[in-house]
Amino acid sequence: MPTRLAAIHVYPIKSCAPLASTQAQVEPRGLAGDRRWMIVDAGGRFITGRQQPRLTLIRANPDGEALVLDAPGMAPLRLVPPAGGARLASTVWDSTVPALPADDAAAAWISAYLGQPARFVFMDAACVRPVDPRYGAASDEVSFADGYPLLLISQAALDALNARLAAPVPMLRFRPSLVVAGSAPQSEGGCEREHGQTCGNLDTHGMRGWRVTLKRCLAHLPAPKPKMSSVLDKSGISRYSRVVKST
């Protein structure tokens, strides 16, 4: 069976519910709209589902540039990216970046839901978070994701894990951006970065430098252009391509 891209997940807010998609745009920081929002405590440090499992019940649906949030027991909230104003030093793991805090009404909403002081912060273009230089180029950036622009997991790896567990765990427990099917278990762990490959590769640049070899070829791609983003669909990923409809 040829290796294929089986699922795409975008997480508009870190640690909250994902949106499933059949195609997504790949930007330098990851999938478009993925983890550009985060929730922080009173000290500006990130709050995740590890600390507050209720976060995973917040659903964020795009509404233009804004998000409409729904959560159990809460009225819907329209979360709008701040247009400017004072920035808030916001920490995610070992990175502290100058994010833009949402308004006080949004802070009151998330504080009431979590039962602790909290607020939403937004990563705009001026809020830059470098990738760990041990695993990326000096110019690589990442969103509020744990460490890298994309996270890829194979279905075979999850199946192999669940075969050893008394109670199986779902794929979304690992919060992947991309899920591939048709590969051997843990094959993604042996991938290496290879630049300049336009045929037969699932290019996962920025994902600890991994790539996944595909059985079928992709169309030849044009030379990179500055600030040009790309589009992926279930037939593969291209860093520099036009929109391709999923199959």
Side-chain angles (χ1 to χ4, degrees), residues 17-56:
L19 296 174
S21 180
T22 58
Q23 66 177 38
Q25 188 173 7
V26 182
E27 299 176 342
R29 297 180 181 184
L31 301 184
D34 184 70
R35 284 169 270 219
R36 301 308 197 269
W37 286 94
M38 181 172 71
I39 298 161
V40 298
D41 62 20
R45 186 166 182 82
F46 74 130
I47 302 172
T48 73
R50 301 173 184 87
Q51 305 153 293
Q52 286 273 11
R54 282 167 54 82
L55 284 179
T56 62

Side-chain angles (χ1 to χ4, degrees), residues 17-223:
L19 296 174
S21 180
T22 58
Q23 66 177 38
Q25 188 173 7
V26 182
E27 299 176 342
R29 297 180 181 184
L31 301 184
D34 184 70
R35 284 169 270 219
R36 301 308 197 269
W37 286 94
M38 181 172 71
I39 298 161
V40 298
D41 62 20
R45 186 166 182 82
F46 74 130
I47 302 172
T48 73
R50 301 173 184 87
Q51 305 153 293
Q52 286 273 11
R54 282 167 54 82
L55 284 179
T56 62
L57 301 179
I58 298 176
R59 297 196 172 276
N61 292 296
D63 180 21
E65 294 296 316
L67 296 173
V68 176
L69 309 189
D70 289 292
M74 303 294 293
L77 172 73
R78 193 168 189 269
L79 187 62
V80 180
R87 293 180 179 269
L88 178 67
S90 304
T91 301
V92 49
W93 297 111
D94 295 326
S95 302
T96 299
V97 296
L100 288 170
D103 60 28
D104 290 341
W109 189 93
I110 190 61
S111 297
Y113 180 67
L114 295 180
Q116 70 171 88
R119 70 183 315 133
F120 294 100
V121 294
F122 178 70
M123 175 180 278
D124 65 347
C127 179
V128 177
R129 182 183 173 213
V131 169
D132 187 328
R134 294 174 296 173
Y135 302 107
S139 60
D140 286 347
E141 300 176 9
V142 63
S143 65
F144 288 131
D146 276 355
Y148 305 94
L150 299 173
L151 172 62
L152 180 148
I153 299 178
S154 69
Q155 183 63 51
L158 180 67
D159 293 343
L161 172 64
N162 281 335
R164 301 169 62 184
L165 300 178
V169 295
M171 179 63 77
L172 289 179
R173 177 73 62 86
F174 303 98
R175 303 185 69 77
S177 309
L178 312 174
V179 179
V180 294
S183 64
Q186 284 80 51
S187 60
E188 61 271 41
C191 298
E192 298 176 356
R193 176 180 295 178
E194 290 189 12
H195 294 290
Q197 298 291 334
T198 59
C199 184
N201 294 316
L202 175 62
D203 183 2
T204 55
H205 173 83
M207 213 166 50
R208 294 181 187 251
W210 292 349
R211 71 170 177 84
V212 177
T213 300
L214 296 179
K215 295 295 185 181
R216 64 177 173 177
C217 294
L218 305 179
H220 180 71
L221 308 179

Side-chain angles (χ1 to χ4, degrees), residues 26-28 139-140 195-198 203 205 218-232 237-244:
V26 182
E27 299 176 342
S139 60
D140 286 347
H195 294 290
Q197 298 291 334
T198 59
D203 183 2
H205 173 83
L218 305 179
H220 180 71
L221 308 179
K225 295 181 180 179
K227 297 184 180 179
M228 183 177 182
S229 57
S230 65
V231 173
L232 62 84
I237 300 177
S238 160
R239 294 197 71 200
Y240 306 97
S241 67
R242 299 184 179 184
V243 175
V244 181

